[in-house]
Amino acid sequence: MASFLQIADDEKGHELELFCVPKHYENDLERVIIPHGLIKDRTERLARDIIRDMGGHHIVALCVLKGGYKFFADLLDFIQVLNQNCDKSVPLTVDFIRLKSYCNDESTNSVKVIGGDELSSLTGKNVLIVEDIVETGRTMKTLLALLEECNPKMVKVVSLLVKRTPRSCGYRPDYTGFEVPDEFLVGYALDYNEYFRDLNHICVLTEEAKEKYKV
């Protein structure tokens, strides 16, 4: 089983006043649950693990948009540094796919894939899927089933977050940054109806903010 950093259900987090938070979000957030610096340190470790396991292979890093873009960029930056300084290195190319399965704060049963027609280019390739958060796991299982039809050589999944939830189908990624409580989290490109992507830290959203930004 891959290692991860577990954020407990009763984790109190950190007061917003201790961090730089955009003023327009100050009243929308309960607390900082994962500070930006901790995200970066954990991402660097994930990059090391990926190079250890996949070094020597040509990898197509597949970013799941939109929520994965910051994690994807930081992870690839760390891999690039390791490539320059380690005995093992990973030749990388990148691709992007967009999945949509949320309405407000509820995960829907349908998964909309945007850009899925390009997956055929991954035939015979070693694919690293880079995701921001795995919740029920159904979205990732849908994507993996689509990928399987294209016959890639190997597929690994790295997710910054995995949510501890009774709604989970039991799926676990190959690499996990943090296991988090069953709360609605925003920041570091995780959004609520497109808001909060411009927030460095991962924070817990207030109930009032869910109503405020509801569509």
Side-chain angles (χ1 to χ4, degrees):
M1 175 66 73
S3 60
F4 52 83
L5 203 160
Q6 189 175 66
I7 309 294
D9 286 338
D10 59 355
E11 171 62 50
K12 297 292 187 290
H14 310 278
E15 296 295 326
L16 298 178
E17 291 75 17
L18 297 172
F19 297 91
C20 293
V21 173
K23 198 155 188 66
H24 52 277
Y25 290 147
E26 280 181 352
N27 297 322
D28 301 323
L29 306 168
E30 283 187 11
R31 63 192 187 279
V32 174
I33 196 164
I34 311 177
H36 185 241
L38 184 55
I39 298 168
K40 295 277 280 197
D41 279 3
R42 185 72 188 112
T43 302
E44 182 176 12
R45 180 58 209 228
L46 289 170
R48 287 176 181 270
D49 292 347
I50 289 163
I51 284 206
R52 178 198 65 208
D53 297 344
M54 304 177 83
H57 298 283
H58 171 225
I59 302 297
V60 180
L62 182 64
C63 176
V64 180
L65 297 171
K66 295 180 183 177
Y69 80 86
K70 281 183 78 72
F71 176 49
F72 182 78
D74 286 343
L75 182 70
L76 264 58
D77 281 348
F78 283 124
I79 289 175
Q80 185 178 337
V81 169
L82 290 167
N83 274 346
Q84 293 166 352
N85 297 295
C86 289
D87 294 335
K88 266 189 175 183
S89 63
V90 179
L92 271 175
T93 52
V94 301
D95 211 339
F96 301 87
I97 190 170
R98 187 172 170 203
L99 305 178
K100 193 166 177 63
S101 62
Y102 257 81
C103 180
N104 294 316
D105 62 339
E106 294 296 323
S107 180
T108 63
N109 288 323
S110 63
V111 177
K112 187 176 181 183
V113 180
I114 302 164
D117 53 336
E118 304 299 324
L119 291 178
S120 58
S121 65
L122 301 175
T123 300
K125 304 282 179 62
N126 299 300
V127 181
L128 176 68
I129 300 172
V130 183
E131 174 70 290
D132 58 344
I133 185 166
V134 170
E135 300 198 30
T136 66
R138 288 194 298 267
T139 299
M140 187 53 64
K141 288 187 85 170
T142 299
L143 176 56
L144 289 170
L146 283 170
L147 268 176
E148 195 59 38
E149 293 174 11
C150 303
N151 295 311
K153 184 177 178 184
M154 174 174 63
V155 178
K156 297 281 189 184
V157 179
V158 55
S159 182
L160 177 63
L161 308 177
V162 170
K163 188 174 281 191
R164 231 173 9 258
T165 171
R167 300 184 303 280
S168 171
C169 69
Y171 170 78
R172 302 289 296 198
D174 301 284
Y175 307 95
T176 299
F178 302 88
E179 188 186 82
V180 294
D182 193 7
E183 299 189 77
F184 200 86
L185 305 177
V186 294
Y188 194 67
L190 281 81
D191 77 306
Y192 178 74
N193 292 331
E194 298 303 325
Y195 292 93
F196 303 100
R197 295 196 197 276
D198 56 333
L199 175 65
N200 276 339
H201 315 291
I202 294 177
C203 301
V204 178
L205 198 62
T206 66
E207 290 301 319
E208 292 79 12
K210 290 179 187 178
E211 285 302 313
K212 179 178 174 182
Y213 297 102
K214 205 170 189 176
V215 294

